[in-house]
Amino acid sequence: MKYTDAHCHIFSAPAGNITGQVCNATTAADWGKLVQNADDRTHVCIGIHPWYIDSVTPDWADCMREILLSNPQIMVGEIGIDKYHPDIDRQIEFFAQQIEIAIEMNRPTHLHCVGAWDKVLHILKGHGPRIPIIAHAFGGNTAIMTALAEYNTYFSYGMRGDHIADTAKIAPVDKILVESDSDTSTAQAEILATATREIAKLRGCDVRELNEQINKNFTGVINYAG
Ligand SMILES: [Zn+2]
C-alpha cells in the first residue's frame, strides 16, 4: 500500500512507498532548508514549536510572513501550547501570533498541543479560523474532539508505544490522518502501516479502504495549501 505522513521532521526524501510527507519546522533555523526541500512529495511547514520559543530573533514574524508570501504552497507548523514546558503565557502569545499569520495567509496549520486544549480552543474561538488545523498526535478526549471539529480540524494519529489513541475509533473518517513524527525515513513506512492497521482494527473497517481515505484526506490538506 502507499502511505502519506501528515507529520514528520524528515529533511530528506520519503521512503519509496510514501507518496507524501509533511515536514514540520521546530525553529526558524529549519525554515530555509525545509523550503529548499519542498517538492511533489515533500510538503513543508514553517513555524516556531512551543518548546523553542526562546530561539527566535526579533524579526521572526516578518521572516515568516515573507517566506509564506513568496511560497503559496508552504503551511504553518508546528505551533501550539505544551503544559509540560515553561512559560505558558509566552507560548500563548507565540501561538496566537502564528495562528493570526496562518489565517492572514490562509494556510493549513499543524498543531502541537499537550494538556492545554482549553487555551488553544480559546484562541481558535477568538479567530474562528476556517483554515485546516491538523491536530498532530491527537491526545485529547471526545469532548475536545467535538469542540475542535468546529474548526475544520484533522486528527492525526501515530503509534504511542504499541497502541493508537482511543478517539481514532470515533474520529470523522474524512478527518483522519496518520503520522510518523519521525526525523528519519528508516522506520517511517512501518510506523504509518502499523498506525493505519491499528486504526482499522479499532474501527472494525477495511484497512485498504481506510488507507485510501487517509490518503485522500492528506491530499485535501495539501491542495488547500496550493
Ligand atoms: Zn513534531
Side-chain angles (χ1 to χ4, degrees):
M1 283 196 285
K2 305 274 189 205
Y3 298 97
T4 46
D5 190 344
H7 185 103
C8 69
H9 299 276
I10 297 172
F11 283 75
S12 57
N17 60 340
I18 294 168
T19 55
Q21 63 179 0
V22 174
C23 302
N24 279 258
T26 51
T27 70
D30 293 339
W31 298 354
K33 175 104 176 78
L34 283 171
V35 172
Q36 264 181 8
N37 285 355
D39 66 17
D40 289 354
R41 289 197 296 160
T42 296
H43 309 279
V44 162
C45 306
I46 61 165
I48 310 286
H49 189 292
W51 298 355
Y52 303 108
I53 51 178
D54 285 336
S55 70
V56 298
T57 52
D59 62 346
W60 72 268
D62 291 339
C63 293
M64 192 170 166
R65 274 200 181 85
E66 216 169 278
I67 293 174
L68 291 171
L69 260 180
S70 45
N71 297 278
Q73 77 288 4
I74 290 189
M75 301 174 274
V76 171
E78 72 180 274
I79 66 170
I81 307 173
D82 190 325
K83 134 171 145 177
Y84 297 104
H85 279 260
D87 213 343
I88 289 285
D89 289 342
R90 199 144 173 265
Q91 289 187 43
I92 291 172
E93 262 173 52
F94 267 84
F95 176 60
Q97 225 178 320
Q98 293 182 92
I99 267 283
E100 243 172 65
I101 296 175
I103 293 166
E104 179 190 320
M105 305 278 172
N106 199 27
R107 304 302 161 87
T109 295
H110 297 253
L111 174 68
H112 171 109
C113 179
V114 180
W117 287 110
D118 53 337
K119 296 177 177 67
V120 163
L121 282 162
H122 184 75
I123 291 166
L124 294 182
K125 198 172 178 182
H127 291 292
R130 302 263 45 102
I131 50 170
I133 306 272
I134 297 87
H136 131 69
F138 181 65
N141 61 23
T142 316
I144 291 162
M145 175 172 265
T146 309
L148 281 169
E150 279 192 43
Y151 299 100
N152 197 14
T153 305
Y154 288 77
F155 301 94
S156 180
Y157 295 98
M159 295 306 296
R160 300 175 159 199
D162 60 357
H163 77 286
I164 282 278
D166 296 344
T167 54
K169 188 175 179 173
I170 50 147
V173 74
D174 61 343
K175 293 286 196 245
I176 299 176
L177 296 166
V178 288
E179 63 173 68
S180 71
D181 200 11
S182 183
D183 57 6
T184 116
S185 56
T186 319
Q188 190 184 17
E190 195 187 318
I191 296 169
L192 300 172
T194 311
T196 308
R197 206 171 48 237
E198 291 300 313
I199 297 172
K201 217 192 280 176
L202 256 184
R203 297 172 74 93
C205 68
D206 181 78
V207 66
R208 282 181 181 276
E209 270 173 36
L210 177 70
N211 184 54
E212 251 172 55
Q213 179 68 50
I214 289 172
N215 290 342
K216 203 169 139 192
N217 300 344
F218 180 94
T219 307
V221 171
I222 296 314
N223 285 348
Y224 187 94

